[in-house]
Amino acid sequence: ETNTLPFHPFENQQGDILRVEKEHQVLKEQLKEAEEKFEQLQSRSSEEIGALEQLLRKSVEETEVSQNELDWFHQDSEAQGKKWQQEKKENRDNLKALRSTAKKHTDTNDRYLKTIDDKEKQYNVYLNTFLDTSNKFANEKVKLEELIKKSQDDCQECVKRAVKAEISVFQNWKEAEVWKLNGTVAKAEANLKMLKTLSSSASAAPLLKPQIDSWETFISNVRKQLEKVEAEYEEKMELVKSGARISLTKVEVLDIPSP
């Protein structure tokens, strides 16, 4: 559209059409110059003919005065006539050559005009085809942009739903693990409470002391595991909320054997 590249098939390289138009203009100027020279030659021949005719009349008048002058006039007239004939022949040859050149230039000019007209018609056909194709692609581009926008909106909606679903999965896994570990802690605390009750007697205290220590250690480890599970699930949910892509896997929970 900005005509910065050769337009095939009209141009083999940039500026071919402009160069043909310039050559056409040069030929027109040469033809005009030839016509002006022809008119100058014709005018000069007319002036010379008029001068010779005037000289002839003067010589006729002088024949009545002197026969010698009449002879001289005839000789001079003959010489002038030969000179005029020679110049006339030369002018005729020059005119013939100019006419031939003018005809050649005219034929060349007509050929270039016909070529330019044909190329212009082809250019208009290609231009109309290009404009139709461009409009078609523009309409398709608008449709594609609308589809892309709709797809992007749908994609964003799907991403939101996926994030919500992943958070929901992690939340459910977290609650399940927390419930399981809390249940383990509750059972362990019940056992520890029963052991402490049994160890109230002086005779049973030394025997139950190792078991009480084991259960207290077990409860502490389970509570640490509970905090770890909650922290890791919270971290995973925060990453999902921030848009990070992580694998949808459960947090590893160590199986702590009970005493």
Side-chain angles (χ1 to χ4, degrees), residues 181-193 215 218-219:
L181 292 173
N182 282 331
T184 301
V185 170
K187 290 179 181 179
E189 287 178 343
N191 291 334
L192 180 61
K193 183 178 180 181
W215 280 104
F218 174 74
I219 292 171

Side-chain angles (χ1 to χ4, degrees), residues 80-140:
Q80 292 291 338
K82 289 180 179 180
K83 181 180 178 181
W84 177 80
Q85 289 293 335
Q86 182 64 27
E87 290 183 352
K88 183 178 179 182
K89 182 176 181 299
E90 291 177 356
N91 291 337
R92 186 182 296 111
D93 292 340
N94 290 334
L95 178 61
K96 184 178 180 181
L98 289 174
R99 285 178 175 174
S100 177
T101 303
K103 185 177 184 303
K104 181 180 178 181
H105 290 168
T106 302
D107 294 341
T108 303
N109 182 43
D110 293 340
R111 186 170 63 255
Y112 282 146
L113 287 175
K114 185 177 183 302
T115 302
I116 291 173
D117 186 59
D118 293 339
K119 296 296 184 183
E120 185 176 2
K121 290 179 180 178
Q122 292 180 4
Y123 170 77
N124 290 330
V125 171
Y126 287 128
L127 179 61
N128 292 332
T129 303
F130 169 76
L131 292 176
D132 292 340
T133 305
S134 178
N135 292 333
K136 180 180 177 181
F137 283 142
N139 293 332
E140 292 181 356

Side-chain angles (χ1 to χ4, degrees), residues 7 13 76 86 125 201-202:
F7 189 78
Q13 61 183 2
D76 186 68
Q86 182 64 27
V125 171
S201 64

Side-chain angles (χ1 to χ4, degrees), residues 159-217:
V159 169
K160 291 179 181 178
R161 292 171 58 190
V163 169
K164 186 176 180 181
E166 289 180 1
I167 292 175
S168 177
V169 170
F170 284 132
Q171 184 67 32
N172 290 335
W173 285 347
K174 172 190 170 184
E175 291 176 355
E177 293 296 338
V178 168
W179 178 83
K180 186 188 298 183
L181 292 173
N182 282 331
T184 301
V185 170
K187 290 179 181 179
E189 287 178 343
N191 291 334
L192 180 61
K193 183 178 180 181
M194 182 186 66
L195 289 174
K196 286 182 178 181
T197 301
L198 294 175
S199 66
S200 58
S201 64
S203 59
L207 297 175
L208 297 177
K209 181 68 169 58
Q211 295 187 30
I212 291 173
D213 293 339
S214 297
W215 280 104
E216 287 179 345
T217 302

Side-chain angles (χ1 to χ4, degrees), residues 222-244:
V222 173
R223 289 185 184 279
K224 290 179 181 179
Q225 184 69 17
L226 177 61
E227 292 175 357
K228 175 178 175 295
V229 169
E230 288 182 331
E232 290 188 11
Y233 273 118
E234 288 295 332
E235 182 182 0
K236 284 179 176 289
M237 286 188 284
E238 289 299 325
L239 288 174
V240 172
K241 290 178 182 179
S242 65

